[in-house]
Each structure stands twice: as structure tokens, then as C-alpha cells.
Amino acid sequence: MSKNSIHFNISERKVLLRVFDIISVLLVLYFVGNTFEFDYFSITKKHWRWVFVLILYISIFGTIFELYDLQKSSQIEKISTSIVFTVSVTVLFYFLTPFLTPILPGNRLQIVYFYFAILFALVLWRLAYITFIVSPRFYRKVIIVGEVSSVETIIEAFKEADPNYKIVGFVNCAASKKDNIKFTGIKEYSPKQLNKVVKEDHISEIVVASYNSNTITYETYYALISLLEEGIPIREYTQVYEDLTQRIPIQFVGRDFYKYFPFSRSNKNKMYLFFHRMFDILISALGLVFCALFTPFVLLGNLIGNRGRLLYTQERIGKNGRQFKIIKFRTMIKNAEQNGVTWAKKKDSRITLFGRFLRNTRLDEMPQFLNVLKGDMSLIGPRPERPYFVKELSEMLPFYETRHIIKPGLTGWAQVKTRYGSSYDDSLLKLQYDLYYIKHRSFLLDINILIKTLSTVIFFRGQ
């Protein structure tokens, strides 16, 4: 491959961001410590623990404040807020843990040096990242081979998932090519041009996006085989879609469900399930303690703002289709569904002012720790839906009932990856994320979801 085809995958760029965040911070702190009258933080073998704790704090709070979100990281005006939040909370926690970190300095100027050294280091490195890495030189150039009907959806999904994944052209394999369909910045090529274009434009990958393999002509097939023999990666679009978007493309799967079932081995791994349950019990017990502390405040707000019962229960569908009653703090007016069952909307008039506060802060969800403790729910999993909507969505969405092969969760992959939705398209998107979690669930993914849940609460995302 030529120099012009250098590119980084999503995982590589995230590692790159994390590693150079740490390197840049340590280099600037070392420079400040040897240039100015700054002796609060010194990098030596004796003080290795100070360095380790700083790295740990930056990594944790950087994840919480979305410092490693690739979409945000591609624009300095978007990532700057995350940088400020990360640095501020990191420095605050660093000062508040003197048993792990240096003793608080007597000279307040030391605190200023420490804060702005870290801030300057991260801003400088992120500007370098945007200037050099997020540039056309490092784009992953791709050509799609398939029917035009699938190209537009794939283009939008890939563009949203990875700004450096550029689809530069497509080969139309549709049986009927009467319509002259154009896509902005994307050229259409014939199978005869494929080999030439791949070499001249330094294409990194070919994605085959065909609903029916019979639509790929012999001419296209042999062109692909020739390129494969020359070392050009050729991937099936559902695999690329899943890798980039971290969700299962059920709208493209059709009857090829055998490619996606059975799901993750963790669903049958007894050790994983045992520790998962132990974690559920521990966290739900702690959660109920916090719930008890907040209950007097919620009770007072409910009496003034909601004027109804403090708690309400509602039928939901759990594991294996079993129904159970979910418990929540009231957020709506009394008799909210007297006109029938409807989706809850983002600006739902049935939600009271205090109820909206409870939803934004997620305090209304806290009684559900009791559902987790009882075993009806887990801390992490697909959100449980009402029987009425389950029946409706099961008729419209393929594999919808597959969500019920594991316990529903208080939080989940769909909740941290999407905003609140109340339509067919929103349900489809959430289902894709839910199935991705079921397929790939693991300890690492669970930890990732918990950290992203903190981000969701902090930035008031969702309903």
C-alpha cells in the first residue's frame, strides 16, 4: 500500500488519543517542573504512584466526559468543553486524595501551574490530532459494490459513526439501472473501472453491499477476486456496519439470521452470569440506600408538583417474555392514560415540572433497584417495554422479541448510545443496539456502559 493510503481504524484512533493524552500531559508537567518554580508534582521513580493516579484519573474522567468520542474529537470547538470538564474534575479529585497524591501545596500558584499545564497539554495535542490525523491523508477510502437502494443508508450510517471512513464511489449491481441516481461526492463506476480506480485512488477497502448475491455479475465477481488476490480487503457490509456503528443492522439481515445467532457466549457462561448477578445485588443494595436518602425530598416534590401517589407500578415484559411490575417514582399527572396507551414523548404534556426534573436526573428510576434485587431486572440490559408496545413492535421489527433472551436492564447499550425516542425508527435504532449488546456482552462492555451512563446523566440526555 502506498503512503497515501495510511489510515487508522476506530479502535486505533481511540488508543492513539488515550496514549498521547497521557504522554503530552506528562511531558508538559516535566517541562514545567524543570523550568519554573513548580515542585508540587515531580516525575521520579520514587513518586511513581503520583503518576499512576494521575493517568488513572485522566482516563476515567476523560471517558465520562467523552474526551474519546471520535465525532467530538474531530472539531476543537466540540471537544474543548470535554477537555475543560476532564481537567477540572481530574485536578479536583487529585487534590482531594492526598493519601495517594502529593500533599496540597502551601503556595496556591502551584495549583494554577498544575491545572493549566494539564489543560495546555491536552489542548495542544488535540489541535495536533485535528490538524494531522483528522485529515484527508488519513481517510479510509472505500468503494461500495451493491445495489443503489442500500447505498444511501450505509453512507449516512458510516458517516455518523466514523468521520474518517470515506465512501468515495460505488459500483451499481442492481438489475435495473434506469434511474440515474447521484450521491454528493460519490462517483459511480462500472465493474471494468474497479481495478483501475482502486489503484489510482488508493482505496483502502471494498465493501460488498448486496441483498442478493445473484445480482453480482461474473465481471464484477472476477474483478473482486483479482483485487482480493492483490491484498485489497473486501468485507461484507453487515460486518462493517456492525464494527463501525456498534449495532446489529437488522434492516439488512433479511433471512440470514444464522449469521447472528447464537449470541455472545457470555449468555451461557456460568462464571460471567454469577459475577453479573453478584454485581447486580451489590449495586442495587447500595442504590436502595441512596434511594432511601432521596425519598423525603422526592416525597415533598411529589406532594407539591405531582399530587398523586409517590410510587407507581406498570406491567413490563422481562426475560423469556415473563411479565413483571416495574417500580418508579411518579413523574406524570394522575390518570395520564385515560385516553389510551401512547408513547411518552420528549416534551410530553402529561409529565409534570417536577416529574421532568426526576426524569432528567434519573431519580425516577431509583426504585427499580428493588426490581434488580428481586431478579426481575439486571443493572445492564435492554430496557423493559410494556406488553402493548412489545406486541406492536414485534409485528413490525424483525428479531424484536430476541431482546427477551436476557433480563431487561436499568441501563443499557441502547440507552447510552441514543437519545430518547418514541417512533418506529427510534425503536429500530434502539433494537439494533440492544442486539449488539446481547451478541457481545462481556465484563468490559458492561464497564463501558456504566461509565457512559454517568455521561448520560451528567449531560442530561434521554427523556
Side-chain angles (χ1 to χ4, degrees):
M1 303 291 286
S2 69
K3 291 182 179 180
N4 289 330
S5 63
I6 296 173
H7 58 266
F8 295 99
N9 294 325
I10 287 180
S11 58
E12 292 171 338
R13 264 178 282 137
K14 288 185 176 181
V15 170
L16 189 73
L17 287 173
R18 288 183 181 274
V19 170
F20 277 89
D21 276 355
I22 301 303
I23 291 175
S24 60
V25 166
L26 296 182
L27 283 175
V28 171
L29 285 173
Y30 183 80
F31 172 78
V32 172
N34 288 275
T35 306
F36 302 97
E37 294 181 3
F38 176 71
D39 54 10
Y40 169 68
F41 182 91
S42 56
I43 302 175
T44 62
K45 290 182 179 179
K46 182 180 179 181
H47 299 143
W48 64 269
R49 188 173 62 186
W50 297 357
V51 176
F52 175 77
V53 173
L54 181 62
I55 292 173
L56 184 64
Y57 284 171
I58 291 174
S59 298
I60 292 174
F61 295 120
T63 302
I64 292 173
F65 293 110
E66 301 179 339
L67 199 58
Y68 307 109
D69 182 289
L70 294 182
Q71 288 286 352
K72 281 189 173 184
S73 296
S74 63
Q75 298 180 49
I76 192 62
E77 61 272 16
K78 289 186 177 181
I79 201 63
S80 56
T81 303
S82 297
I83 293 174
V84 172
F85 274 126
T86 299
V87 174
S88 301
V89 178
T90 295
V91 171
L92 177 63
F93 270 77
Y94 203 78
F95 287 149
L96 293 176
T97 52
F99 51 97
L100 297 173
T101 57
I103 299 174
L104 285 173
N107 184 357
R108 293 182 181 179
L109 194 60
Q110 300 281 316
I111 298 176
V112 176
Y113 279 147
F114 187 64
Y115 179 86
F116 281 100
I118 298 175
L119 185 66
F120 175 77
L122 289 179
V123 170
L124 185 66
W125 150 237
R126 289 314 182 96
L127 284 172
Y129 171 81
I130 292 170
T131 303
F132 298 107
I133 306 301
V134 185
S135 66
R137 180 179 176 82
F138 290 96
Y139 285 167
R140 189 179 184 90
K141 296 181 180 179
V142 181
I143 282 184
I144 293 182
V145 176
E147 295 93 345
V148 170
S149 58
S150 63
V151 172
E152 189 170 10
T153 304
I154 293 172
I155 290 171
E156 290 301 319
F158 290 177
K159 182 180 179 181
E160 181 183 346
D162 184 358
N164 278 33
Y165 196 90
K166 298 294 181 181
I167 298 175
V168 298
F170 70 96
V171 176
N172 187 4
C173 292
S176 175
K177 301 181 182 179
K178 295 179 181 179
D179 298 329
N180 187 22
I181 300 176
K182 299 291 184 181
F183 300 102
T184 304
I186 300 175
K187 297 179 180 179
E188 181 175 359
Y189 300 103
S190 67
K192 294 179 180 179
Q193 297 174 291
L194 190 56
N195 199 298
K196 180 181 178 182
V197 171
V198 166
K199 293 176 181 178
E200 290 184 352
D201 290 354
H202 309 290
I203 300 300
S204 306
E205 183 173 274
I206 296 174
V207 176
V208 179
S210 177
Y211 292 108
N212 184 359
S213 58
N214 292 330
T215 60
I216 299 179
T217 63
Y218 284 108
E219 185 180 20
T220 306
Y221 175 77
Y222 284 117
L224 292 173
I225 290 297
S226 174
L227 291 168
L228 185 64
E229 290 174 346
E230 293 179 22
I232 303 298
I234 299 176
R235 302 174 68 192
E236 202 265 336
Y237 67 108
T238 55
Q239 298 172 346
V240 181
Y241 188 101
E242 184 176 336
D243 290 343
L244 287 181
T245 64
Q246 296 182 311
R247 58 184 194 253
I248 302 293
I250 57 173
Q251 71 272 42
F252 298 141
V253 173
R255 296 181 180 179
D256 297 336
F257 64 90
Y258 52 83
K259 293 181 180 179
Y260 301 93
F261 298 89
F263 284 115
S264 170
R265 292 181 180 180
S266 294
N267 296 319
K268 298 295 182 182
N269 187 317
K270 291 184 178 180
M271 181 174 290
Y272 170 81
L273 294 176
F274 172 78
F275 283 107
H276 193 88
R277 180 56 184 157
M278 290 299 101
F279 186 74
D280 282 349
I281 293 173
L282 176 63
I283 297 299
S284 59
L286 291 173
L288 287 173
V289 172
F290 280 102
C291 182
L293 296 175
F294 281 104
T295 297
F297 164 74
V298 177
L299 178 60
L300 180 62
N302 182 71
L303 289 172
I304 299 172
N306 295 346
R307 299 180 182 180
R309 290 168 51 188
L310 175 65
L311 298 172
Y312 83 95
T313 60
Q314 197 175 67
E315 291 290 336
R316 297 291 173 99
I317 301 296
K319 184 178 180 181
N320 299 326
R322 186 177 65 85
Q323 292 192 21
F324 70 97
K325 289 189 176 181
I326 199 172
I327 308 170
K328 297 181 70 175
F329 283 130
R330 173 179 294 278
T331 59
M332 289 188 175
I333 60 175
K334 290 192 295 184
N335 302 318
E337 293 187 335
Q338 59 183 349
N339 296 322
V341 179
T342 58
W343 291 96
K345 300 176 182 179
K346 188 173 183 180
K347 294 183 179 180
D348 201 319
S349 59
R350 299 172 301 169
I351 302 174
T352 66
L353 185 62
F354 182 69
R356 187 164 289 109
F357 166 77
L358 292 179
R359 291 195 176 205
N360 288 336
T361 57
R362 296 302 194 279
L363 288 175
D364 68 313
E365 309 278 0
M366 293 192 75
Q368 291 174 51
F369 283 118
L370 185 59
N371 290 116
V372 177
L373 196 62
K374 289 170 60 179
D376 294 329
M377 294 174 60
S378 178
L379 189 65
I380 300 171
R383 282 296 293 166
E385 194 51 84
R386 301 172 64 178
Y388 176 86
F389 292 123
V390 168
K391 182 180 179 181
E392 186 180 76
L393 292 171
S394 296
E395 295 173 354
M396 295 188 295
L397 300 176
F399 312 125
Y400 185 81
E401 292 183 336
T402 308
R403 301 167 76 252
H404 304 138
I405 68 174
I406 65 172
K407 289 181 182 180
L410 187 59
T411 185
W413 192 232
Q415 287 88 287
V416 300
K417 296 293 285 186
T418 63
R419 295 181 181 273
Y420 181 78
S422 57
S423 66
Y424 171 84
D425 290 337
D426 295 330
S427 298
L428 173 62
L429 184 63
K430 292 174 72 174
L431 176 60
Q432 292 177 355
Y433 282 117
D434 285 334
L435 295 184
Y436 181 90
Y437 172 73
I438 296 171
K439 182 177 180 179
H440 296 281
R441 67 192 301 222
S442 63
F443 286 117
L444 288 177
L445 184 54
D446 288 343
I447 292 171
N448 191 8
I449 290 172
L450 290 177
I451 293 174
K452 287 182 180 296
T453 299
L454 293 176
S455 301
T456 302
V457 174
I458 289 170
F459 291 108
F460 296 104
R461 294 199 185 102
Q463 188 173 359

